[in-house]
Amino acid sequence: MLVFGALFQPFSIYASIALQEENTQKFEESDAVESKSDSQAGDSAEVSGNSYESEISGAQSQPSQSVRATEEDAQPASGGNGESAQLTDAAVSDMNNETGLDDKREDKANSWRYKDGQRIDVSSEGNGISTFSMSFLPEGASAQGIDVSSWQGVIDWQKVKDAGIDFAIIRLGWWVDGKDAYLERNVAECERLGIPWGAYLYSYCSNPSQASAEADHALDLLGELKAKGYTPDLPVYFDMEDNALLNGNRDFAGMATQFCSKIEAAGYMAGVYANLNWWNNNLTSSVFDSWNRWVAQYYSACTYEGTYSAWQYTSRGSVPGISGNVDLNWWYGDFPGYSLDYYSSVFDPDYYLDNNPDVKMACGNNPYAALRHFINYGMSEGRRSSPDFDIASYYNANRDLRQAFGMDLPRYYEHYVEFGSDEGRPCSGAPEITRYVTARGGVDWSPVYDGAYYRERNADVEAAYTEDFGSVELLDDSGMLAHFVTYGMGEGRSAALDFNVDFYRSRYPDLQKAFGSSLRDYYIHYVEYGRFEGRIGNDWAS
């Protein structure tokens, strides 16, 4: 399971969308699927700030997650109704002797949102305003992202990340030979900043054989990226929106099968992008259950009744670092870095919400919003997140982890998830440290240092190294040992029952002659030589 530490962004963005009352036939079905931009008001979105208010008209979003069918279920049926089995080379040749693959295609899309390569205003009808906030994800959503192409020009990806964007879906290119001018730069920046990314190829195919060739082109572009060490974390999507797809035999299942099967065979996740009308009227074969669905619907809720993993909810987002408009998307279900299953050994969403009223107020009942809070804030605050895992006990009971991690609490949660649970390490029933850290700088100081003794007799040290995380107080015993080695020995502090520096100094004139008033040297001498020479460290032992 991959965990992206760089993802853990504050809930710092909101997108306000001027929405309109739902028209159940938003994109009227026709051979051309014409845009109705002349009769529709625009939608707008802005990403900045940190607020939440909602006034939504129309249907509400339902929790939805991508469902991947078994290999057997994923096989398309052969025959009519737009369904097609995996095509053999012979079948492809018989079906279409003239593939048209030698035709060059300019980057001039024509679809429900493009006309001759130019973006057109697409929005739903009606009225109403909805404001979405990263502090209150829509039900079932786990992350917010953007999809980009050369339309966005040079992007300042650091600003995009700082705004709280979790992921990006980047255009590879189009047809069988087009390459997006900013592909390599966009991918390189996402990789540099730890932003999970996926990709899409804009399709102009009109039959399955052309879709197969488009898949080959997509794999060539992905291969170029892979040679530089770049591999997508999210699916590679087949963008099914251009009118060209309507001009052929309309074997949509066959087209998608040819593209997606090749993508998956190369080791990538596959997906299909289309608008709501296409999903409801054209892409109805059960074969589409095999891949990630990405639904475009510019409305206050995604009303698609099937399963989907991404919803493109506006084309007019405004994000710092990007000039002009950009598409905004919600991701549904588990997401790299935000997996309920991965964190299940330390995180129970119901327990976390029930025992942290402030989180419940901010996140509602959304388990992914709660998980985001836990990762971004709860770990660092030492919050109790599961009835079975107590961070204080895990900290107190594992001396080796305290030596390795110090007071970096998120690392304790992560360690238990990755290793501690399988190792059977104790994670409850240890309200206090029982075995103190005694090793520092390659030296075992235990002959002159006992953490509990030092803590008990030096109240100023205990106060200095007890840290309040808001939800739990913990003693930094590694820091306390560092204080003893760096300052305590020089100050002649009492740190163990078996050793008293004043006694040791006064009892051995040879040491006085060698060390004089340097108290630190007496501690070091006893640790390295005195105890082995049979010297006495404290008067009670004589």
Side-chain angles (χ1 to χ4, degrees):
M1 174 64 198
L2 296 177
V3 178
F4 299 81
L7 284 175
F8 303 158
Q9 300 294 320
F11 304 154
S12 61
I13 75 171
Y14 72 88
S16 60
I17 308 160
L19 294 164
Q20 304 168 350
E21 202 172 327
E22 180 181 18
N23 176 355
T24 55
Q25 299 296 328
K26 290 183 176 54
F27 305 110
E28 295 292 341
E29 183 181 10
S30 66
D31 288 348
V33 191
E34 292 287 336
S35 168
K36 300 187 290 185
S37 60
D38 56 345
S39 64
Q40 297 171 334
D43 61 343
S44 64
E46 182 177 345
V47 178
S48 62
N50 184 21
S51 64
Y52 178 82
E53 47 185 324
S54 181
E55 200 174 290
I56 302 175
S57 62
Q60 299 300 307
S61 174
Q62 297 298 319
S64 178
Q65 299 179 0
S66 173
V67 176
R68 299 190 59 78
T70 63
E71 184 174 348
E72 181 178 355
D73 293 338
Q75 299 303 316
S78 60
N81 299 323
E83 298 189 353
S84 173
Q86 180 81 20
L87 300 175
T88 64
D89 291 341
V92 169
S93 177
D94 291 343
M95 184 191 71
N96 188 8
N97 291 324
E98 295 182 3
T99 63
L101 295 178
D102 293 333
D103 296 341
K104 298 294 183 183
R105 300 288 179 96
E106 295 183 44
D107 189 12
K108 290 187 176 181
N110 282 282
S111 71
W112 57 276
R113 58 181 182 149
Y114 292 100
K115 184 173 178 61
D116 296 329
Q118 299 298 311
R119 291 294 294 261
I120 55 180
D121 184 28
V122 179
S123 57
S124 55
E125 297 180 349
N127 54 62
I129 295 175
S130 176
T131 302
F132 295 113
S133 168
M134 290 303 284
S135 65
F136 208 120
L137 297 170
E139 188 175 2
S142 55
Q144 178 164 264
I146 56 177
D147 58 274
V148 298
S149 68
S150 58
W151 280 100
Q152 279 70 46
V154 177
I155 297 173
D156 185 334
W157 284 97
Q158 184 65 63
K159 289 183 178 178
V160 169
K161 179 181 179 180
D162 292 344
I165 290 296
D166 297 304
F167 67 92
I169 302 176
I170 298 168
R171 185 173 74 158
L172 294 170
W174 63 93
W175 186 225
V176 297
D177 53 8
K179 179 179 179 178
D180 192 279
Y182 293 92
L183 170 62
E184 290 179 355
R185 183 184 186 279
N186 287 336
V187 169
E189 284 293 277
C190 285
E191 291 275 349
R192 180 178 70 86
L193 295 169
I195 302 173
W197 62 279
Y200 72 93
L201 186 91
Y202 190 93
S203 175
Y204 286 102
C205 74
S206 58
N207 58 58
S209 63
Q210 292 180 352
S212 178
E214 288 183 328
D216 291 336
H217 177 49
L219 291 173
D220 287 342
L221 295 174
L222 290 166
E224 293 175 7
L225 297 171
K226 189 173 184 178
K228 297 181 179 182
Y230 306 149
T231 302
D233 313 288
L234 301 174
V236 177
Y237 290 95
F238 186 40
D239 186 338
M240 301 184 73
E241 64 175 285
D242 199 84
N243 297 341
L245 278 71
L246 299 167
N247 294 332
N249 58 16
R250 297 198 176 195
D251 185 3
F252 302 118
M255 297 177 198
T257 296
Q258 285 294 307
F259 184 92
C260 292
S261 61
K262 282 194 170 183
I263 296 298
E264 289 186 320
Y268 303 101
M269 291 184 289
V272 175
Y273 168 89
N275 70 23
L276 180 67
N277 177 68
W278 276 61
W279 283 115
N280 285 338
N281 296 290
N282 295 330
L283 311 183
T284 57
S285 167
S286 61
V287 72
F288 289 98
D289 292 335
S290 305
W291 313 301
N292 289 272
R293 285 187 180 90
W294 179 11
V295 181
Q297 183 184 9
Y298 304 158
Y299 189 58
S300 60
C302 183
T303 60
Y304 181 64
E305 295 182 357
T307 56
Y308 53 93
S309 58
W311 166 33
Q312 184 187 84
Y313 66 90
T314 183
S315 63
R316 301 187 66 189
S318 176
V319 177
I322 298 178
S323 299
N325 296 333
V326 64
D327 299 336
L328 294 177
N329 304 268
W330 294 116
W331 185 270
Y332 286 78
D334 279 354
F335 181 80
Y338 299 113
S339 168
L340 290 171
D341 182 65
Y342 175 77
Y343 284 105
S344 61
S345 60
V346 298
F347 180 80
D348 179 328
D350 293 332
Y351 182 93
Y352 193 66
L353 291 169
D354 290 343
N355 288 275
N356 295 280
D358 58 326
V359 178
K360 190 174 184 68
M361 182 177 295
C363 300
N365 292 315
N366 188 331
Y368 289 102
L371 177 60
R372 291 174 66 91
H373 182 279
F374 170 65
I375 293 171
N376 293 336
Y377 305 107
M379 285 183 176
S380 297
E381 296 169 356
R383 297 215 187 202
R384 185 75 180 264
S385 51
S386 167
D388 301 320
F389 180 84
D390 174 25
I391 183 62
S393 292
Y394 198 60
Y395 175 90
N396 290 332
N398 293 282
R399 181 172 66 173
D400 60 328
L401 300 187
R402 296 197 306 276
Q403 288 180 286
F405 304 152
M407 303 298 277
D408 188 354
L409 294 192
R411 296 182 69 183
Y412 292 87
Y413 291 98
E414 296 286 357
H415 181 274
Y416 188 76
V417 170
E418 290 280 359
F419 309 106
S421 178
D422 290 338
E423 294 170 358
R425 290 191 180 235
C427 61
S428 62
E432 296 286 343
I433 293 173
T434 54
R435 297 177 65 237
Y436 284 79
V437 172
T438 58
R440 180 176 175 81
V443 177
D444 180 9
W445 296 100
S446 60
V448 297
Y449 176 83
D450 177 326
Y453 190 95
Y454 193 59
R455 173 186 184 181
E456 181 181 343
R457 283 161 178 76
N458 296 278
D460 59 328
V461 175
E462 179 182 23
Y465 290 94
T466 298
E467 188 165 345
D468 185 353
F469 290 90
S471 299
V472 63
E473 282 190 358
L474 298 174
L475 178 70
D476 180 8
D477 65 326
S478 292
M480 199 167 64
L481 173 61
H483 177 274
F484 169 71
V485 173
T486 306
Y487 305 106
M489 291 194 296
E491 297 168 356
R493 297 214 185 204
S494 179
L497 180 64
D498 293 337
F499 184 84
N500 180 281
V501 70
D502 292 329
F503 171 83
Y504 196 61
R505 177 187 180 192
S506 63
R507 184 176 180 86
Y508 299 105
D510 60 326
L511 300 185
Q512 292 180 39
K513 185 176 181 179
F515 304 142
S517 60
S518 177
L519 299 183
R520 175 182 174 84
D521 288 330
Y522 293 93
Y523 289 93
I524 294 173
H525 180 273
Y526 184 74
V527 169
E528 293 185 348
Y529 307 105
R531 60 194 176 112
F532 300 113
E533 296 170 353
R535 297 194 188 227
I536 299 171
N538 203 348
D539 57 357
W540 74 268
S542 64

